[in-house]
Amino acid sequence: MAFYQTPHYEKTIFSDLLGSWALLKKSVENEHRTKDCSQLLFYISVAMSWESMRNLKHMKNTLLLIQSIAQQIGITDETAGFVDKVGIILSEALDRLQKTKLR
């Protein structure tokens, strides 16, 4: 006899967003072995903080800073792809939040 249990959570855009930040952080940690990415790691941690998750506009500003630093230090294409993915998901989260507030 098989049982089916529904999950006790609902996956949201916020879990996708946090997951994309985690993938970016892991990629930057791998690059940190060959170049100094300490500033990137610091600001990624800031963006993943509880305060940033509660204020996505602050997270967006932090992402802009991360993009600037990443461009200056010359990250790999793979890591740049993760930065872009975070930006896409963050934009989607901001759009959904805006639509929710309009209701």
Side-chain angles (χ1 to χ4, degrees):
M1 177 185 269
F3 291 97
Y4 174 76
Q5 291 183 324
T6 58
H8 299 291
Y9 64 92
E10 181 180 334
K11 186 175 178 185
T12 65
I13 190 68
F14 298 108
S15 62
D16 289 343
L17 183 59
L18 198 55
S20 67
W21 278 111
L23 291 172
L24 173 59
K25 184 177 181 181
K26 184 67 175 168
S27 184
V28 171
E29 286 171 347
N30 289 338
E31 281 199 45
H32 191 56
R33 296 178 189 147
T34 58
K35 63 180 90 166
D36 184 21
C37 297
S38 55
Q39 280 187 319
L40 277 178
L41 290 171
F42 173 76
Y43 286 112
I44 289 170
S45 295
V46 168
M48 293 176 73
S49 71
W50 176 248
E51 291 82 14
S52 290
M53 288 302 289
R54 290 180 48 97
N55 184 354
L56 294 183
K57 290 180 183 177
H58 178 265
M59 184 184 285
K60 184 177 179 181
N61 292 337
T62 306
L63 178 61
L64 291 173
L65 184 59
I66 288 169
Q67 289 170 331
S68 176
I69 294 169
Q71 187 178 27
Q72 290 174 13
I73 66 172
I75 59 173
T76 63
D77 290 341
E78 179 184 8
T79 303
F82 285 121
V83 173
D84 293 341
K85 186 69 172 175
V86 167
I88 292 167
I89 295 173
L90 178 57
S91 294
E92 186 179 338
L94 286 166
D95 288 344
R96 286 189 188 183
L97 188 63
Q98 184 65 29
K99 288 177 185 175
T100 303
K101 286 184 179 180
L102 292 176
R103 290 183 186 177

